[in-house]
Amino acid sequence: EYSNVTKKLVYGMARLMGYYSTGSTAIRASHDLYRACAEHSEANKDFFIEACNLPDNFQSWFSVTQLHVWMLMVRLRGEKNGKLYIQELVNRLFDDAEHRMRSHGVSC
């Protein structure tokens, strides 16, 4: 258990170093938001392949994940600093897409 003085000191230093800035908060939040979109796409992969007749390939994964990200982006438009959160969400989508392409031997 940390003392109140230690907690205040650590929170104060974090604030001074920008940990709670709008941009930093958007970056951290976008990871969780994107993870929810990606997990939903993976959890329902069988539905998209079998019921929707999508091929089991990168393009199908990207289309479904992009659809989920787009729905979240529409929701974020009305929020304060929504554009910043949307940009970070798109950054996460393309980071993941690049990672998946490289893991299948495609170099950019």
Side-chain angles (χ1 to χ4, degrees), residues 34 37-42 45 48-49 54-69 92-101 104:
Y34 177 76
C37 292
E39 287 174 357
H40 188 274
S41 296
E42 286 296 324
K45 183 178 179 179
F48 296 118
I49 292 170
L54 293 175
D56 187 8
N57 60 21
F58 175 81
Q59 180 61 43
S60 296
W61 166 84
F62 186 79
S63 296
V64 170
T65 305
Q66 183 180 23
L67 175 64
H68 286 90
V69 168
R92 299 295 79 73
L93 171 64
F94 283 100
D95 286 346
D96 190 20
E98 185 177 339
H99 171 76
R100 288 172 187 258
M101 285 189 285
H104 285 92

Side-chain angles (χ1 to χ4, degrees), residues 23-82:
S24 182
T25 302
I27 290 169
R28 287 192 310 277
S30 70
H31 285 279
D32 293 334
L33 293 170
Y34 177 76
R35 189 177 306 114
C37 292
E39 287 174 357
H40 188 274
S41 296
E42 286 296 324
N44 296 297
K45 183 178 179 179
D46 292 337
F47 168 77
F48 296 118
I49 292 170
E50 294 170 14
C52 299
N53 286 333
L54 293 175
D56 187 8
N57 60 21
F58 175 81
Q59 180 61 43
S60 296
W61 166 84
F62 186 79
S63 296
V64 170
T65 305
Q66 183 180 23
L67 175 64
H68 286 90
V69 168
W70 176 79
M71 289 187 289
L72 183 55
M73 287 168 50
V74 169
R75 170 63 178 84
L76 289 171
R77 284 182 194 162
E79 297 296 320
K80 181 180 178 183
N81 299 315

Side-chain angles (χ1 to χ4, degrees), residues 23 26-27 30 83-93:
I27 290 169
S30 70
K83 286 184 179 183
L84 181 59
Y85 283 79
I86 288 169
Q87 182 60 57
E88 291 302 329
L89 192 59
V90 170
N91 291 347
R92 299 295 79 73
L93 171 64

